[in-house]
Amino acid sequence: MSILIKGGTVLSSTGSVAADVVVDGERVTAVVAPDSWPGNADTVIDATGKYVLPGGIDGHTHMEMPFGGTFSADTFETGTTAAAWGGTTTIVDFAVQAKGTSLLSTLDKWHEKAGGNCAIDYGFHMIVSDVNDGTLKEMDACVDAGVNTFKMFMAYPGVFYSTDGEILLAMQRARANGGTIMMHAENGIAIDQLVAQAIAAGRTDPVQHGLTRPPELEGEATHRAIQLAKVTGAPLYIVHLSAAQALEAVAVARNDGQNVFAETCPQYLFLSIEDLARPDFEGAKFVASPPLREKSHQGALWQGLRTNDLSVVSTDHCPFCFVEQKELGRGDFSKIPNGMPGVEHRMDLIYQGVVGGELTLQRWVEVTSTTPARMFGLYPRKGVIAPGSDADIVVYDPKATQTLSASTHHMNVDYSAYEGLEITGRVDTVLSRGRVVLDRDGWHGAKGHGRFLSRELNQYLN
Amino acid sequence: MSILIKGGTVLSSTGSVAADVVVDGERVTAVVAPDSWPGNADTVIDATGKYVLPGGIDGHTHMEMPFGGTFSADTFETGTTAAAWGGTTTIVDFAVQAKGTSLLSTLDKWHEKAGGNCAIDYGFHMIVSDVNDGTLKEMDACVDAGVNTFKMFMAYPGVFYSTDGEILLAMQRARANGGTIMMHAENGIAIDQLVAQAIAAGRTDPVQHGLTRPPELEGEATHRAIQLAKVTGAPLYIVHLSAAQALEAVAVARNDGQNVFAETCPQYLFLSIEDLARPDFEGAKFVASPPLREKSHQGALWQGLRTNDLSVVSTDHCPFCFVEQKELGRGDFSKIPNGMPGVEHRMDLIYQGVVGGELTLQRWVEVTSTTPARMFGLYPRKGVIAPGSDADIVVYDPKATQTLSASTHHMNVDYSAYEGLEITGRVDTVLSRGRVVLDRDGWHGAKGHGRFLSRELNQYLN
Amino acid sequence: MSILIKGGTVLSSTGSVAADVVVDGERVTAVVAPDSWPGNADTVIDATGKYVLPGGIDGHTHMEMPFGGTFSADTFETGTTAAAWGGTTTIVDFAVQAKGTSLLSTLDKWHEKAGGNCAIDYGFHMIVSDVNDGTLKEMDACVDAGVNTFKMFMAYPGVFYSTDGEILLAMQRARANGGTIMMHAENGIAIDQLVAQAIAAGRTDPVQHGLTRPPELEGEATHRAIQLAKVTGAPLYIVHLSAAQALEAVAVARNDGQNVFAETCPQYLFLSIEDLARPDFEGAKFVASPPLREKSHQGALWQGLRTNDLSVVSTDHCPFCFVEQKELGRGDFSKIPNGMPGVEHRMDLIYQGVVGGELTLQRWVEVTSTTPARMFGLYPRKGVIAPGSDADIVVYDPKATQTLSASTHHMNVDYSAYEGLEITGRVDTVLSRGRVVLDRDGWHGAKGHGRFLSRELNQYLN
Amino acid sequence: MSILIKGGTVLSSTGSVAADVVVDGERVTAVVAPDSWPGNADTVIDATGKYVLPGGIDGHTHMEMPFGGTFSADTFETGTTAAAWGGTTTIVDFAVQAKGTSLLSTLDKWHEKAGGNCAIDYGFHMIVSDVNDGTLKEMDACVDAGVNTFKMFMAYPGVFYSTDGEILLAMQRARANGGTIMMHAENGIAIDQLVAQAIAAGRTDPVQHGLTRPPELEGEATHRAIQLAKVTGAPLYIVHLSAAQALEAVAVARNDGQNVFAETCPQYLFLSIEDLARPDFEGAKFVASPPLREKSHQGALWQGLRTNDLSVVSTDHCPFCFVEQKELGRGDFSKIPNGMPGVEHRMDLIYQGVVGGELTLQRWVEVTSTTPARMFGLYPRKGVIAPGSDADIVVYDPKATQTLSASTHHMNVDYSAYEGLEITGRVDTVLSRGRVVLDRDGWHGAKGHGRFLSRELNQYLN
Ligand SMILES: [Zn+2]
Ligand SMILES: [Zn+2]
Ligand SMILES: [Zn+2]
Ligand SMILES: [Zn+2]
Ligand SMILES: [Zn+2]
Ligand SMILES: [Zn+2]
Ligand SMILES: [Zn+2]
Ligand SMILES: [Zn+2]
């Protein structure tokens, strides 16, 4: 089964060329000058006037994630399907070690949850909640099993929180086995005091979620993680960076040549604490951690994307329905499940940065696909349209317009964080490993098509 | 006439893939999975075990350049031939406006000098020595003529030097016409006092060239150029950055999101002021401006290449023979012609950074080819192996070894700055616009094959 | 003739004590616990409820200064009298070398102008406009003559401007003879292009004076001066610092331990470019260089005073009458004489910083008196109330209020930059070298009382 | 009883004057010009050729401190006597809250220990080990009781360690009651892992104490404390700063105008990790926390003292005898009692900085006496020779020489950290509140002479 994508402009992280793309089976066979493919093709896709780009890679999702007695609302099936609708053809989801359990059994469990259910390819990061001699050894086994990125938390004491000593131990192990430590960098120990004071004082609205997590405490934790990484020599990747203070800490370390990387998420670029302050408990829709910040941080984040101090845009997709889930926190913001939906809209939203002059076209491709592929050991299988690469390809219509809404989105959640937002650009056609899972006629994908990706090590390390 | 380059590992700025490359006429037609090209090929080049990479782009050369009554020793013919021997398939050379002449007549003169003589493709930057109403207007015409990068000098008063006022005017013009200002950033006004004091005190050896040009005065001028660029909004490209102080100024500006870029050169990465201090006037071989620095700067420059505060490696190739040319400065270091040979060895030398763990393989390609292509408006025609690109291709043998020497190099100069240096890696085969100009049998190129490149604007600007 | 100042709170740069001060002749004899002086006193001054502080030292004034065919409006007599009215008992004025003349003859001329005319003590800085072998040698003689601070200009080409080469030479000399280089740090070469463009475009109002001198060009020149000082080893003192960018450059150098110092002036703390933009040519009253800045710089300057990156507050007092003098620039802002009156109000205005919580009481004394005394080699003769010190003493009423106005001030100029400003605090009594020159009855001073101060070297150098 | 100190050079933090000092009873009555005191004096001290300076204030001592089952070897009697021998006339010692006890009972206990035993005046800081609602409230009472500086520990988990949440709470309280938080800033949680690894690996020598406490972890904790102070608005004082990384964090905060202060200690200026590595367990003599650093840090610390990013030199005097105390850690460096003797040598050692050109004479007085007085709310009672001040006065012979040794020192400890060091300068005579406790004849002081100092708030806050 071969496909010829004709007439489009093929994008990469360095620029664009007019070219046709030949797919044979699951892989790209050739990238050729327009109309110069001498072979046959079973199917021809007309990409005239459109961009042809490597499928998006969302390096930070939480499908069916247990959180405070409930689960994030997207299953691997619904979540990966929504991702594909938005032009994302790979996710890296977080397996979550529960305290007292092993990393490998956790991995087994996540393989069970995801296996046979995903519409697109997927990999795993491992959340390490319980550092001990056994789990430290298991980290090596995880690396061998294609899971070499380990998320730790400086927040959520009693749940995911690791002490600086535990982080140090895990970093030493990562230094030895080639893994990268991913960090949720907020000083949760100090934050929890502020939260308790707010509750005690009767300040219980959703906006308090933001006010009790000041950006200095994200900056502080980021700086601390960087110093621990320096002492141990471990590569470090800061997840969901939201604050200018944290960005500054990352910039200093990167300027010093340390192996420190960071991602931000669309919600920090487009939304703010003003959304958290929406009346009638509407703000609960925007509760995630780190919290949405003052608008002044947005410009710093866009600039960080330009300077490459922010290398990746992921979503931290972790949807909870407003009804029955977010509502758990009425009267006590600290009980609102933390997380926002977003896996479907990342490519479109960051494209608005291109439309608005914040990013170049090539940088759009880089931060949404090429860099995550290199960062998470998937390149050149993913992240580029090149011979031998998986045929994960998006045909994107740069002129089409659309309106984001819960009534039209495909995520399994009852609200949109961007309800009513009119944007330019729209996914036209999506291939996942050579299969057209989506085109203008609609959905042709299927759960179970997606396969687990055993990942290589971070490719940015010298 | 078609060529199939088979069995190699194709490199790009983001990574490597096993692929075959199809060339038809002057251009790349296709990049295909190994053994999957269904068409024919007149010639097959076996690249098994070798790297296949986009031809090098040297963005900073001075062929036949007039300097102090003499000329740099390489003609466009000998210089471009030597470049090709070293895997460089494009140069951007500097047209030099003499005071009192026009930019366009200068450009004509350089077209005359280069036209019909180059073995590889070439473009021009314009050195603006004489800022006045006429030449400011001519800058627009230069942009239209494909020469949109304007070098100015903060050193060499009376020759190339422009005042800060003149620089401001030229920057305003560049801001308006899309051009980029390139800056030789040394405080020549202060330096000339130090030089005069040294001569007056009888300190006349070549090492004085270095001692009278302290790195703080490169840092100062770099900072000054950046501020003038900020005031005017012009893009700025610092040429031949040699000092940690200058790098720091560039890093600050880039971190602030300003359109500031910088290159360094192999001599600053591999040589030092100790070479300038070689006895018996040998140091004269290493006289160039900015001067070779203390060794401690080398580590900073390698790190700058990793952090992308240094985006490009060029050569500043400007050879003067030791006999009769360098010797003009015996007894007075200030009369030594400024410049060193290097166009032939850039790709090999920077590859040593890969061998030594300073840079990744993809970063080697990026700083020597892809980034200069994007910076100088040549991408995707140059700087990448992609359908539609010029077939400027190097087959590189990563395991071969060689010894650098004046006795074997192809530059028209009687010494090598790296005499006797043993290195790993060697150019195997070179294509220039589809023509095999060099292979293991030797030289097949010809003067006149190279064509002038009318360049687009800098592609890094948002 | 002895005086006992009783019952007051004696202030120093480190704090305050309840103490009586005994003056005998021109000097302080003793500082004693309240009511514990066993000796006699001819006169008793009751300072109950008042501050007793060392007389202010204004390290930057221009009396009778020639500028563009006119002279600043205060003579040494009127200017020093006004200073005393405001609690300043020492000025250091600038002798101005005209091109082609010698430093020593300049000094003679200024001794002539000031000698016998001053109401308070005075010293000189030397403006070096003409750097050559002769004047460089004369710098040594100036140091011997008690004038060891040399002001140079990076602005005003053709008038005071020195090239970076000339600055380098003067700095080398200062390094050798112990002098300090004072710098007017604005990139006048670039600025003059912006000025010419404004005039050519018909933008001739006073506000253009500010718009054509962007703060980046003060930051640039400040950084440049610092680098030249670093290369030469000379101490550097930045005069009339007005911009956050310049402050940042100073802060970096000071943090690195370099001998770099800076002053700001009240006008930069209290006025802004909005005043320059006052209609009906009123803005001309506020034309000085560097220009008044956007208000956002004010907070940075107050903070700089707290962090000691700004060590001194001087006035740059250089008054020109609105009528006939400022009016020279109607229709062409570049012809407005540069300068503002201020010598009378410095102590009062900076005291408003104490009232408003910007500075502590001791810091007020430090930046207006103690530090200039130490910086300009006058301590402990001036800048402190201690046995043996000159009896330059101010009794200050911290509760009194007053309204600033040209109708009541004592400067010889027809407008006040602070017309109508109501402030708290007022000078009550002033002693200059033991003589009560001012008390609540009025003026008792006399021209000729003030003597020339031969100054020691900067006391901040290790 | 009155004393006249005649003929000396009286030093202050701003300079020196020739003056006589009159003491009546416990206080300074007058500072007068030489030979101009009209009154009588019971005793005359000849200070000709000597410095007369305010008695030293050591803001960081631990007398009779419980640590790991033993006590620091100096009692309040022996320790304060030794202090006086070294020209220190005030100490501020640390009361140590044991977990589970109250602050006020702790204060009572320390009053009992010190009361009637001190040879010089003393104050207390309070070590807060147990943060809870009760102790937070007690902080206010401590402030009222003249103890407004609260030390907390980011190291020593299980003993003194406070979590970031507890620190936040205490800082909020300090913000409200005017107190200052003092911080032992090392990341003890991470350090303890490194310590455990070293012990487990059989690396048990004293030098391991240094190797397991890398300077990055002091820099990290310092930065963290600063951010917590920023969030809460509390003043912060970093104790015993030893590492360039920590200094950099302090410098950034101070440059931003935050109320952050720091002290260093003589051992960090004069000793290094090489001393910790002395053979035969000799290194144990140098075990303190933070540990002695690589020599390269010393230059940074001297520079910090010049730039005022380090404002104070204290000793962290906490002596343990080599025999029986330090020996507890043979075979396990982590069991070596942490602390070094030093209270006797601070004035002399820092004077070596004057001799060696690191500091000016006035800066010596400032960092050892005037600034601690202002920082700890004792000025002008202490820290200056002024009318009304306590007559705590040192007559110092700048030309005398001495050799430091355990055989001659007065501290109750069996070794000297500076054994055999020959230095210039020696204390000649010491007055404590008007009593000559020491002169060339020897000791005239007595336990019980020293009184408790109820301290005002930090005087550096605006
Ligand atoms: Zn997280
Ligand atoms: Zn997450
Ligand atoms: Zn150049
Ligand atoms: Zn060049
Ligand atoms: Zn000036
Ligand atoms: Zn002036
Ligand atoms: Zn401590
Ligand atoms: Zn301590």
Side-chain angles (χ1 to χ4, degrees), chain B residues 205-211 272-287 292 294:
Chain B
D205 282 348
V207 71
Q208 293 296 329
H209 177 73
L211 297 175
S272 80
I273 197 167
E274 295 176 20
D275 295 295
L276 261 178
R278 290 197 202 176
D280 298 330
F281 200 63
E282 281 282 299
K285 294 177 178 174
F286 303 93
V287 167
L292 301 181
E294 296 289 335

Side-chain angles (χ1 to χ4, degrees), chain B residues 102-376:
Chain B
S102 83
L103 295 184
L104 293 176
S105 68
T106 300
L107 196 50
D108 288 344
K109 198 183 294 179
W110 253 259
H111 273 300
E112 254 174 77
K113 289 167 80 155
N117 288 318
C118 291
I120 55 172
D121 288 356
Y122 60 96
F124 292 131
H125 309 291
M126 176 59 66
I127 288 178
V128 180
S129 309
D130 199 346
V131 174
N132 55 51
D133 284 354
T135 53
L136 288 168
K137 274 182 205 133
E138 282 186 309
M139 285 174 68
D140 297 356
C142 287
V143 172
D144 293 340
V147 176
N148 52 50
T149 39
F150 301 94
K151 184 178 179 187
M152 306 190 79
F153 287 77
M154 301 168 93
Y156 302 123
V159 188
F160 300 128
Y161 176 76
S162 291
T163 69
D164 291 350
E166 291 163 345
I167 290 168
L168 181 106
L169 294 174
M171 283 181 166
Q172 289 176 325
R173 200 79 185 193
R175 166 62 173 167
N177 67 30
T180 292
I181 298 295
M182 307 176 84
M183 193 61 73
H184 180 125
E186 287 188 296
N187 187 325
I189 302 297
I191 284 170
D192 279 16
Q193 291 292 354
L194 296 175
V195 170
Q197 290 177 338
I199 300 291
R203 302 190 309 266
T204 61
D205 282 348
V207 71
Q208 293 296 329
H209 177 73
L211 297 175
T212 55
R213 307 181 89 89
E216 288 84 0
L217 294 184
E218 183 185 348
E220 182 285 304
T222 303
H223 179 270
R224 181 156 33 113
I226 288 168
Q227 298 310 310
L228 292 167
K230 194 167 189 178
V231 167
T232 56
L236 175 66
Y237 178 96
I238 304 294
V239 294
H240 48 47
L241 189 150
S242 74
Q245 289 89 338
L247 179 57
E248 178 57 21
V250 167
V252 168
R254 288 177 62 79
N255 197 48
D256 287 350
Q258 199 179 333
N259 278 319
V260 171
F261 311 92
E263 69 179 19
T264 191
C265 308
Q267 54 269 34
Y268 302 117
L269 294 164
F270 289 95
L271 303 172
S272 80
I273 197 167
E274 295 176 20
D275 295 295
L276 261 178
R278 290 197 202 176
D280 298 330
F281 200 63
E282 281 282 299
K285 294 177 178 174
F286 303 93
V287 167
S289 293
L292 301 181
R293 302 292 182 191
E294 296 289 335
K295 277 191 174 166
S296 59
H297 292 261
Q298 295 175 358
L301 296 180
W302 282 113
Q303 183 172 299
L305 284 171
R306 286 191 294 272
T307 64
N308 202 33
D309 289 322
L310 295 172
S311 305
V312 170
V313 178
S314 299
T315 61
D316 198 10
H317 176 75
C318 191
F320 294 100
C321 286
F322 186 71
V323 176
E324 292 192 0
Q325 291 192 306
K326 289 289 185 182
E327 285 179 335
L328 293 170
R330 275 201 197 268
D332 181 350
F333 72 87
S334 72
K335 298 214 163 60
I336 302 170
N338 276 216
M340 291 175 62
V343 73
E344 188 169 350
H345 299 315
R346 185 180 60 116
M347 299 300 288
D348 284 332
L349 285 169
I350 304 309
Y351 183 68
Q352 304 317 301
V354 179
V355 172
E358 296 281 2
L359 300 181
T360 59
L361 197 55
Q362 51 265 34
R363 187 64 181 153
W364 174 48
V365 174
E366 193 165 32
V367 300
T368 58
S369 179
T370 310
T371 296
R374 298 170 72 186
M375 190 73 71
F376 299 130

Side-chain angles (χ1 to χ4, degrees), chain D residues 81-113:
Chain D
T81 301
W85 273 95
T88 287
T89 53
T90 301
I91 64 167
V92 191
D93 201 87
F94 286 86
V96 185
Q97 180 196 25
K99 297 248 184 214
T101 68
S102 83
L103 295 184
L104 293 176
S105 68
T106 300
L107 196 49
D108 287 346
K109 197 182 296 178
W110 253 258
H111 273 300
E112 254 176 77
K113 290 168 78 155

Side-chain angles (χ1 to χ4, degrees), chain C residues 60 62 151 153 156 184 239-240 289-290 316:
Chain C
H60 189 153
H62 302 279
K151 184 177 179 188
F153 287 78
Y156 301 124
H184 181 125
V239 295
H240 49 46
S289 293
D316 198 9

Side-chain angles (χ1 to χ4, degrees), chain A residues 92-432:
Chain A
V92 191
D93 201 86
F94 286 85
V96 184
Q97 179 197 26
K99 297 247 184 215
T101 68
S102 83
L103 295 184
L104 293 176
S105 69
T106 300
L107 195 51
D108 287 346
K109 197 183 295 178
W110 253 259
H111 273 301
E112 253 174 79
K113 288 168 79 157
N117 288 319
C118 292
I120 56 172
D121 288 357
Y122 60 96
F124 292 130
H125 308 291
M126 176 59 68
I127 289 179
V128 179
S129 308
D130 199 347
V131 175
N132 55 51
D133 284 354
T135 53
L136 287 168
K137 274 184 204 133
E138 282 187 309
M139 285 173 67
D140 298 356
C142 286
V143 172
D144 293 339
V147 176
N148 51 51
T149 40
F150 301 93
K151 185 177 179 188
M152 305 189 80
F153 287 77
M154 301 169 93
Y156 301 124
V159 188
F160 300 128
Y161 177 76
S162 292
T163 68
D164 291 349
E166 291 163 344
I167 290 169
L168 182 106
L169 294 174
M171 283 182 166
Q172 289 176 325
R173 200 79 186 194
R175 167 62 173 168
N177 66 29
T180 292
I181 298 294
M182 309 176 84
M183 193 60 73
H184 181 125
E186 287 188 296
N187 187 324
I189 302 297
I191 285 170
D192 279 16
Q193 291 291 353
L194 297 174
V195 170
Q197 290 177 338
I199 300 292
R203 303 191 307 266
T204 61
D205 282 347
V207 72
Q208 293 296 329
H209 176 75
L211 297 175
T212 55
R213 307 180 89 89
E216 288 84 1
L217 294 184
E218 183 184 347
E220 183 284 306
T222 303
H223 179 270
R224 179 155 35 112
I226 288 169
Q227 298 311 310
L228 292 167
K230 194 167 188 179
V231 167
T232 55
L236 175 68
Y237 178 96
I238 304 293
V239 295
H240 49 47
L241 188 150
S242 75
Q245 289 88 338
L247 179 56
E248 179 59 20
V250 167
V252 168
R254 288 178 61 80
N255 197 47
D256 288 348
Q258 199 179 334
N259 278 320
V260 171
F261 311 92
E263 70 178 19
T264 190
C265 309
Q267 54 269 34
Y268 301 119
L269 295 163
F270 289 95
L271 303 172
S272 78
I273 197 168
E274 295 175 21
D275 294 295
L276 261 179
R278 291 196 201 177
D280 298 330
F281 201 62
E282 281 283 299
K285 294 177 177 174
F286 303 93
V287 167
S289 293
L292 301 181
R293 302 291 182 191
E294 296 290 336
K295 276 191 174 166
S296 59
H297 292 261
Q298 295 174 358
L301 297 180
W302 281 113
Q303 183 172 297
L305 285 171
R306 286 191 294 272
T307 63
N308 202 33
D309 288 322
L310 295 173
S311 304
V312 170
V313 177
S314 299
T315 62
D316 197 9
H317 175 75
C318 191
F320 294 99
C321 286
F322 187 71
V323 176
E324 291 193 358
Q325 291 192 306
K326 290 289 186 182
E327 286 179 335
L328 293 169
R330 275 201 198 267
D332 180 350
F333 70 89
S334 72
K335 298 213 162 61
I336 301 169
N338 275 218
M340 290 175 61
V343 74
E344 188 168 351
H345 299 317
R346 185 179 62 115
M347 300 299 288
D348 284 332
L349 285 169
I350 304 310
Y351 183 69
Q352 304 316 301
V354 179
V355 173
E358 297 281 3
L359 300 180
T360 59
L361 198 55
Q362 51 265 33
R363 186 66 180 150
W364 173 48
V365 174
E366 193 164 32
V367 300
T368 57
S369 178
T370 311
T371 296
R374 297 170 70 186
M375 189 74 71
F376 299 129
L378 294 168
Y379 187 97
R381 183 165 171 189
K382 309 288 189 188
V384 65
I385 297 178
S389 298
D390 282 352
D392 285 7
I393 297 174
V394 172
V395 179
Y396 197 81
D397 184 344
K399 299 278 175 58
T401 59
Q402 56 175 320
T403 301
L404 304 186
S405 172
S407 66
T408 51
H409 74 207
H410 303 82
M411 299 178 287
N412 186 37
V413 60
D414 62 0
Y415 74 93
S416 171
Y418 306 96
E419 187 67 38
L421 183 68
E422 299 182 8
I423 63 173
T424 299
R426 193 182 55 196
V427 169
D428 188 278
T429 300
V430 176
L431 279 72
S432 166

